[in-house]
Amino acid sequence: MKSFLLVLLCCLSLAGPVSANQSTAQADSLLRLLKVSRPDTNRVNLLIQLAWARTDDSPLSAISYGQRGRQLAHELRFPRGECRTLLMLGWAFLRSGNYPTAVQSMQAARRLAEQVNYRSGQVHADNGMGYAHLEQGSPRLALRYLFRAVRRAEALHDMPLLTPIPGNIGQAYLQLNKTDSARHYIEWGYRLDLQQQDWHSEIGDLALLGDVAMQSGQPQQARTYYRRCIERAQYRPISYALCQAWLGLARVASQQNQPTEALTYAQRALEASEQGGYARGILIASEALANQYEARGDTARAFAHLRRASQTNSRLFSLNRLVQVQALDFGEQLRRQERGDERRQQEAERRQNLLLGTLLLLLLGSGVGYLLINRQHLRREVALVQDRQQLERRYAAEIMQVEEKERRRVGADLHDGVGQLLCAAHMNLAALQQQLPLAEPQQQSLLATAVATIDESVREIRSISHGLAPVALLERGLAPAAQQLLSRLRYSDPGLAVRLHTVGLPVPGLSVAAQALVYRILQEAVQNVLRHAQATELTVQLLGTATDLTMMVEDNGLGFENITDGLGMHNIRLRARYLNAQLEFDSEPGHGTTLTLRVPLQTPPAAPAA
């Protein structure tokens, strides 16, 4: 029913169907072009068009042209052209009645379309296989292919590709006697025909709508569709559609007891089939005429038409035998081609494996040579890196040692020099305050203020000197020094609640130099809290184990989102790096900050003195 449209979509070369004379004229024109063409993709397209032009009047010629086109496309490695020739061959075998070979050709076309991702070719192949199974009376199997073709065409958003498929689905449902479903899909296809101006599919769908109306018991509506089909087919000799429409009108007339009209319509169906060279239509129309004449009692004419039908059937049988020979040759060609492709693929895989093996050996050899050549270079580079790291550590140790010595010197000078002088001044002023009889209150206030200021200066000098040179660290260790540091915070910031927790201290494996660096980190962290955190609580934990010392400094202050490396943070990181320690900061805005320092007990050997 929809076979012409399938070919139209597969070939994408001709504008519409042609009559037998037009087909021959067109074939002659294409043959002249073929004689002067070169063996390239244009010749493949010419052979496809020739096969299309001869499909109706000479399926054997169409098969011959299709096989030549397929072989040339395969030699040229033109997969899309080869796919189209296989689709064309499937249609030619389908028109000749050789359905198994038609399905085989469509399947080969679909496999090739999948290999080269030719999605339109996949839709054509599914539609063609669906129609082939429909012609063989297997509508359920046909629906599987047709629905898959619909899904793929919709996924491509290709409406011209989709247009002929719903009518074929409707014809399958007609064979299943599901009239409502058939009407739904055929009407959908008819709407697409009108939108896409596909008059060829429109004519076929009109004939199918007539069949639906007949099956639904609506002869008048069926007559309307059949006549509309015939009107649209005028000057467009589509023999199969005209034959179906005229025979439909004959059935309507017979159902309405109009034998004369039924005879006339059957005769018109025969004429349309003869004019288009539609052998199957000649057979069906001749049988219908024989039945009509037999019902009228005209046995002579009934016999004549039966004889004509028999002759047509014999001709179809002879044609089928010739087509079967072609099909066997085609099947053997496909098998030889598949075997050749398999051998070429295996040979290509062997060559590829050999090439990969050779490349792998070359790479291995190059890699081994590279490793051997650069081994000494790598050793020298490693030695240089180690020397540089040792120099950096020694430099850092010397810097921190000098820094620590300078701290101690400045602390001692402040304590022993400036501190002692201020103490002497304080004592002298206190003695003078007791000996001078100052009668004026203002004079007494000024002297008392001077004595208090010198006393505050003495305490400040002591605090600075202890910070620069923590005696508690040198004499008693890290925990007492930390306790003394945090104790002094009560005077500098009375609103800050300070807590110290120590576990496992003193740590035997931690040198005095490492303890001094940990103390300096604690000192810097505490100063950062006082300057920036605006905290009300500060907790310091010192946890000693057999493998490391962990110090945690936690506050409930403002916190931060992105840490900035100022001078104090730079000093903390530098000392942590020298200790080979792991330094972590955990902070969120509004949730305070936690500094965690994990110091391994294997401290550097060249340590500065505290």
Side-chain angles (χ1 to χ4, degrees):
M1 171 61 207
K2 308 299 286 296
S3 46
F4 274 96
L5 186 56
L6 172 63
V7 176
L8 177 64
L9 291 172
C10 292
C11 298
L12 301 175
S13 57
L14 300 180
V18 292
S19 65
N21 293 333
Q22 290 171 321
S23 175
T24 303
Q26 187 179 32
D28 292 341
S29 175
L30 291 171
L31 280 172
R32 287 193 294 271
L33 291 173
L34 186 67
K35 289 179 181 179
V36 297
S37 66
R38 292 182 297 177
D40 54 14
T41 57
N42 289 328
R43 176 174 288 186
V44 174
N45 292 327
L46 283 173
L47 288 167
I48 294 173
Q49 293 180 40
L50 269 169
W52 161 233
R54 301 307 304 272
T55 298
D56 283 332
D57 64 331
S58 179
L60 285 173
S61 299
I63 292 171
S64 176
Y65 290 130
Q67 287 180 339
R68 288 171 58 186
R70 184 198 60 79
Q71 185 174 359
L72 178 59
H74 186 73
E75 292 173 357
L76 295 173
R77 300 186 181 277
F78 180 30
R80 293 203 174 196
E82 185 176 359
C83 178
R84 291 170 58 206
T85 56
L86 287 168
L87 292 169
M88 187 70 252
L89 282 166
W91 167 239
F93 283 117
L94 187 65
R95 289 291 290 154
S96 67
N98 193 321
Y99 301 115
T101 308
V103 171
Q104 181 186 14
S105 180
M106 295 290 185
Q107 287 175 339
R110 196 180 194 287
R111 286 195 298 269
L112 184 58
E114 287 178 346
Q115 291 173 7
V116 298
N117 197 28
Y118 182 23
R119 292 182 289 179
S120 297
Q122 296 175 32
V123 177
H124 290 315
D126 285 337
N127 190 28
M129 284 189 288
Y131 189 78
H133 289 297
L134 194 62
E135 287 286 288
Q136 295 179 87
S138 301
R140 296 187 185 278
L141 184 57
L143 286 174
R144 290 175 52 190
Y145 290 104
L146 294 172
F147 277 124
R148 185 165 67 178
V150 167
R151 289 193 297 271
R152 288 185 176 275
E154 289 178 335
L156 293 173
H157 304 289
D158 191 333
M159 299 310 293
L161 193 64
L162 174 66
T163 297
I165 306 174
N168 289 338
I169 295 175
Q171 187 174 357
Y173 278 120
L174 267 179
Q175 292 186 13
L176 293 170
N177 294 321
K178 294 183 178 180
T179 310
D180 292 337
S181 298
R183 180 182 289 107
H184 168 75
Y185 283 101
I186 297 171
E187 288 179 350
W188 176 28
Y190 184 65
R191 289 194 299 270
L192 291 176
D193 298 336
L194 298 179
Q195 291 172 5
Q196 301 299 319
Q197 298 181 355
D198 188 343
W199 57 265
H200 192 289
S201 182
E202 177 191 349
I203 292 169
D205 285 336
L206 283 170
L208 284 174
L209 286 171
D211 292 342
V212 170
M214 278 293 294
Q215 195 164 322
S216 302
Q218 299 172 330
Q220 290 303 120
Q221 189 176 10
R223 185 193 299 270
T224 302
Y225 282 125
Y226 289 139
R227 289 195 176 279
R228 178 62 178 160
C229 173
I230 293 169
E231 290 173 4
R232 292 290 291 159
Q234 289 298 324
Y235 308 110
R236 294 167 176 163
I238 306 175
S239 55
Y240 78 94
L242 283 172
C243 177
Q244 184 176 356
W246 285 118
L247 288 177
L249 288 174
R251 288 195 300 273
V252 173
S254 296
Q255 188 178 13
Q256 295 180 347
N257 295 321
Q258 297 173 346
T260 303
E261 287 80 355
L263 186 63
T264 302
Y265 294 145
Q267 185 63 41
R268 297 294 297 272
L270 179 61
E271 292 172 0
S273 300
E274 288 177 337
Q275 184 178 359
Y278 182 33
R280 181 178 173 82
I282 295 172
L283 174 62
I284 298 172
S286 297
E287 291 177 349
L289 281 170
N291 292 333
Q292 292 289 336
Y293 281 117
E294 184 180 3
R296 296 167 66 94
D298 191 343
T299 56
R301 291 187 178 181
F303 178 75
H305 282 289
L306 284 175
R307 184 178 178 183
R308 185 188 186 107
S310 177
Q311 291 173 351
T312 303
N313 196 22
S314 298
R315 190 175 68 178
L316 287 175
F317 179 74
S318 299
L319 177 63
N320 285 336
R321 293 190 63 181
L322 293 174
V323 170
Q324 188 64 32
V325 174
Q326 292 276 21
L328 291 174
D329 180 60
F330 172 70
E332 182 60 28
Q333 286 183 14
L334 280 181
R335 285 190 291 273
R336 285 200 303 267
Q337 179 178 320
E338 289 176 357
R339 288 195 296 268
D341 291 342
E342 289 178 359
R343 286 195 298 270
R344 283 191 291 272
Q345 184 177 1
Q346 291 173 357
E347 184 64 27
E349 289 178 354
R350 284 195 294 270
R351 288 196 299 268
Q352 185 178 10
N353 291 334
L354 180 61
L355 179 61
L356 288 175
T358 304
L359 290 175
L360 183 60
L361 289 175
L362 288 174
L363 288 173
L364 280 173
S366 301
V368 171
Y370 177 80
L371 290 174
L372 292 175
I373 292 172
N374 290 282
R375 186 175 180 182
Q376 191 63 32
H377 294 290
L378 290 174
R379 286 181 175 177
R380 283 200 296 268
E381 288 179 4
V382 170
L384 288 173
V385 170
Q386 290 175 348
D387 291 342
R388 185 172 64 250
Q389 289 176 348
Q390 289 178 0
L391 288 174
E392 289 176 354
R393 293 181 66 82
R394 190 178 306 163
Y395 176 69
E398 291 175 354
I399 289 176
M400 283 185 281
Q401 186 174 9
V402 170
E403 178 185 343
E404 195 65 30
K405 287 181 179 179
E406 187 64 18
R407 282 173 176 270
R408 280 199 231 158
R409 186 190 64 77
V410 172
D413 289 346
L414 286 174
H415 185 273
D416 298 336
V418 179
Q420 295 300 326
L421 291 174
L422 287 174
C423 285
H426 178 269
M427 293 173 61
N428 291 329
L429 283 175
L432 182 62
Q433 185 180 18
Q434 293 178 358
Q435 294 175 7
L436 284 177
L438 298 176
E440 295 293 331
Q442 185 178 5
Q443 294 175 350
Q444 294 177 359
S445 175
L446 288 173
L447 184 58
T449 301
V451 172
T453 300
I454 292 177
D455 188 48
E456 180 66 23
S457 298
V458 170
R459 287 197 299 270
E460 187 68 23
I461 289 294
R462 286 178 179 174
S463 176
I464 294 173
S465 64
H466 288 164
L468 292 172
V471 178
L473 178 65
L474 299 175
E475 294 178 352
R476 291 179 288 167
L478 179 60
Q483 180 65 49
Q484 188 179 68
L485 172 65
L486 297 177
S487 309
R488 290 198 298 270
L489 295 181
R490 296 189 180 92
Y491 301 103
S492 59
D493 190 351
L496 181 64
V498 181
R499 290 185 293 273
L500 174 65
H501 302 288
T502 61
V503 177
L505 294 182
V507 180
L510 196 64
S511 66
V512 175
Q515 293 183 50
L517 292 175
V518 173
Y519 177 80
R520 295 303 180 193
I521 292 174
L522 173 61
Q523 211 174 24
E524 195 68 53
V526 169
Q527 289 301 317
N528 285 339
V529 173
L530 293 176
R531 292 192 196 102
H532 310 296
Q534 301 180 19
T536 59
E537 295 181 3
L538 174 63
T539 302
V540 177
Q541 300 182 51
L542 294 170
L543 310 175
T545 66
T547 58
D548 58 31
L549 169 70
T550 300
M551 180 178 72
M552 298 178 64
V553 181
E554 182 178 5
D555 67 74
N556 65 342
L558 299 177
F560 53 84
E561 185 173 359
N562 295 316
I563 188 169
T564 57
D565 277 359
L567 180 59
M569 193 62 65
H570 172 73
N571 291 334
I572 290 175
R573 294 188 188 279
L574 180 63
R575 289 182 172 93
R577 192 178 306 119
Y578 174 76
L579 289 169
N580 196 25
Q582 181 181 355
L583 180 66
E584 296 178 358
F585 290 93
D586 184 11
S587 180
E588 291 183 12
H591 293 82
T593 304
T594 300
L595 178 149
T596 303
L597 179 74
R598 293 185 178 85
V599 183
L601 295 187
Q602 292 77 12
T603 52

